[in-house]
Amino acid sequence: MGLQSAQSPGHPDRSALTSGRESAFHPVECQVTWWDNGSMASVSGNAAQGHDSPAVTIRDLFIRRGRTVVFDGLSLQIPRGQITGLLGPSGCGKTTLMRAVVGVQKIHGGTVEVLGEPAGARALRSLVAYDTQTASVYDDLTVRQNLNYFARIVGADREATERVAHEVGMTSNLRSLVANLSGGQRSRVSLAVALLGDPELIVLDEPTVGLDPTLRQELWMLFRSLAQRGITVLVTSHVMDEALHCDRLLLMREGKIIADTTPTGLLKDTGTTNPDAAFLELIARSEQRLEPGHGKHAAQQESS
Amino acid sequence: MSPNRTLATTARVLKQLSHDPRSIVLLLVAPSLLVGLFAWLFDTQPGVFDRYGGPLLALFPFILMFVITSITTLRERRSGTLERLMSTTMNKPDFIIGYGVAFGFMATLQAVVTVTFAVVLCGLSVEGPVWQLGLVAVVDAILGTALGLFASAFARTEFQAVQFMPLFVFPQIILGGLFMPREDMPDALETISDWLPLSYAIDAINAVTAGDSGADLFIPLGVVGAFALAALVLASLTLRRKTP
């Protein structure tokens, strides 16, 4: 509770959004919704901010990389105009899922629908922006040259360069060679590239890794302002504390969504005060669920 | 295809090079140094440099551009920038042609420097017009660029990319008619030689130094150009929007 009230003043819209979300989840037995068809229906009935359809709908996704099966029948939806956080430990499939949404990942079964089109469709290339986990910018160009190049590619104007540099706090480094920047600065340049153009969906793979707390805070404020402009923001992180900045949370482990919830719902349901503990609790529950004899018992505990 | 995106890519590649002056100097000066070394080696044997100097002018731009292009595009594949570009509205030919034009431009500069050096300072005797020598060198460099773009698709690391040089380049040098006239080769090797683009590059150079023009020059030159075009198309096909 302490965390929740500490964070509400910074995000006046949060309480409204959260309460809306919670009410949608009441029919289900707990705040943390285990993914099944029932909860899918409750999300789609709850499409946010005037949009009828979710930004992303994934059905029965099957992906293998090499011999490893990354996803075996994954289904989920991501609402429009909100910050959705995809959280989970390294190697759980976050990046593969991001790549599938952007349409650069080969899929072996199921469908990924983004803004009403199949992921990767031509029409989506100007509507979906993607920032990969490692900074995808040219080391041997200056910050300005990088931004100007990508601006020309996505058809943005020159002012866009100044705007995005300002948004990620890199205005004073525009003339620096990217190779000479720190890791955090490089990833901010890469993030700035994703902000060029006029995307409706921004997919950010671990954008806050390696940044100090002040910068992280500023970036989350930026993501918030994007969402307020109606842009759907999909962010991954393996740092559970970042969960508290999101509107929606998808918690992933070993290629499965183990919870689809809100920050408040996550803490309230697990009876924990920090996201790390909540995640551990969820893992413990998901393991109990896999054992048939314990399933009923676990459900009773949750509803009590 | 979009000329704007193609030119943006060309400008970007050239700007990347401009931040690396040492590479530019190597690119422009190294072939001249090697040509000079060769001329010096055969200083006392008249006629030898005139016979081999021409084909050297075909080899250097080809080899250098092959290595530079395959490594640069491999870096692009590995750094994630290619994946980022492939997630935008950029078309594959925009990317490939953008690279081709940028390195083609560098190749032209290189050819001007090397041919001038060979003819003026080393005294290479050329029967035909010198600009034709330059033209052949540029087309060869574009061939190297195109093959390099294509080869980079099969390399996972820079180390592998460098290893492709012996694989793609050395057989072409050995069978290209530099060491032995192609018609004197064993039949099987002559047939292979007929299918290698560098053979035609060397034919074209020999035609210029011998003062032949017309069909003797432009047919082999056209063949080299066709190979370059085919390699560019193949390279473009190796670019994937979706990867495993």
Side-chain angles (χ1 to χ4, degrees), chain B residues 94-160:
Chain B
D94 296 339
F95 178 83
I96 294 287
I97 298 173
Y99 259 97
V101 174
F103 284 125
F105 173 73
M106 292 310 294
T108 309
L109 292 184
Q110 187 192 54
V112 169
V113 172
T114 316
V115 168
T116 308
F117 183 83
V119 173
V120 175
L121 287 174
C122 304
L124 180 71
S125 67
V126 184
E127 298 294 325
V130 173
W131 67 265
Q132 288 182 348
L133 211 53
L135 177 69
V136 178
V138 168
V139 174
D140 292 346
I142 292 173
L143 175 71
T145 299
L147 281 178
L149 279 166
F150 178 59
S152 78
F154 303 101
R156 290 276 166 274
T157 62
E158 277 86 348
F159 189 59
Q160 288 178 5

Side-chain angles (χ1 to χ4, degrees), chain A:
Chain A
M1 280 311 284
L3 276 167
Q4 189 196 348
S5 55
Q7 147 209 19
S8 292
H11 308 293
D13 58 320
R14 168 68 51 81
S15 52
L17 281 173
T18 312
S19 61
R21 197 85 340 94
E22 276 168 13
S23 64
F25 279 81
H26 276 316
V28 191
E29 64 171 9
C30 59
Q31 292 287 323
V32 175
T33 311
W34 303 98
W35 198 268
D36 57 26
N37 290 328
S39 60
M40 173 107 81
S42 75
V43 173
S44 47
N46 181 45
Q49 301 183 351
H51 293 282
D52 292 353
S53 57
V56 178
T57 305
I58 295 176
R59 286 193 192 93
D60 304 322
L61 183 63
F62 182 85
I63 290 178
R64 56 170 192 275
R65 302 190 79 181
R67 291 188 169 183
T68 324
V69 173
V70 186
F71 300 121
D72 188 1
L74 181 82
S75 296
L76 60 85
Q77 290 185 329
I78 291 162
R80 288 194 196 225
Q82 295 190 9
I83 305 178
T84 299
L86 178 65
L87 288 98
S90 302
C92 74
K94 297 189 296 289
T95 297
T96 308
L97 187 62
M98 295 285 130
R99 286 168 40 85
V101 169
V102 175
V104 295
Q105 170 70 46
K106 226 175 237 171
I107 65 175
H108 304 97
T111 56
V112 181
E113 200 182 288
V114 179
L115 307 172
E117 302 263 352
R122 205 177 166 75
L124 290 177
R125 287 185 204 139
S126 54
L127 299 178
V128 179
Y130 176 40
D131 183 21
T132 52
Q133 194 169 353
T134 47
S136 311
V137 283
Y138 298 99
D139 274 349
D140 43 4
L141 289 181
T142 65
V143 175
R144 186 192 295 280
Q145 286 170 336
N146 265 291
L147 295 177
N148 282 345
Y149 173 60
F150 284 106
R152 272 180 86 177
I153 295 300
V154 304
D157 48 27
R158 287 255 160 163
E159 287 88 73
T161 296
E162 306 289 335
R163 172 177 61 83
V164 296
H166 177 72
E167 280 175 338
V168 300
M170 292 293 289
T171 315
S172 55
N173 303 82
L174 275 171
R175 297 176 69 175
S176 311
L177 210 56
V178 170
N180 298 335
L181 299 177
S182 74
Q185 287 172 322
R186 292 183 66 212
S187 69
R188 276 188 286 154
V189 179
S190 187
L191 172 63
V193 172
L195 301 174
L196 289 163
D198 201 8
E200 285 183 24
L201 169 66
I202 298 187
V203 178
L204 306 168
D205 203 355
E206 309 239 352
T208 55
V209 164
L211 300 182
D212 59 71
T214 326
L215 273 172
R216 276 217 304 269
Q217 184 67 30
E218 283 172 14
L219 285 188
W220 280 104
M221 280 165 65
L222 170 66
F223 302 157
R224 175 56 55 200
S225 76
L226 293 173
Q228 276 164 354
R229 272 158 35 197
I231 298 171
T232 307
V233 184
L234 178 56
V235 185
T236 68
S237 180
H238 64 264
V239 184
M240 295 301 150
D241 285 337
E242 311 239 84
L244 299 177
H245 297 282
C246 302
D247 298 317
R248 283 213 76 69
L249 292 176
L250 295 170
L251 269 63
M252 187 181 247
R253 185 167 180 257
E254 291 171 2
K256 292 189 173 54
I257 299 291
I258 61 169
D260 176 0
T261 181
T262 61
T264 347
L266 174 71
L267 296 181
K268 205 184 255 177
D269 178 69
T270 52
T272 52
T273 50
N274 72 72
D276 265 333
F279 189 67
L280 291 173
E281 170 67 19
L282 286 175
I283 289 172
R285 286 189 200 175
S286 72
E287 276 166 3
Q288 274 181 329
R289 270 169 184 269
L290 295 177
E291 298 168 45
H294 291 56
K296 206 173 176 186
H297 176 63
Q300 275 166 358
Q301 268 190 339
E302 280 161 24
S303 56
S304 64

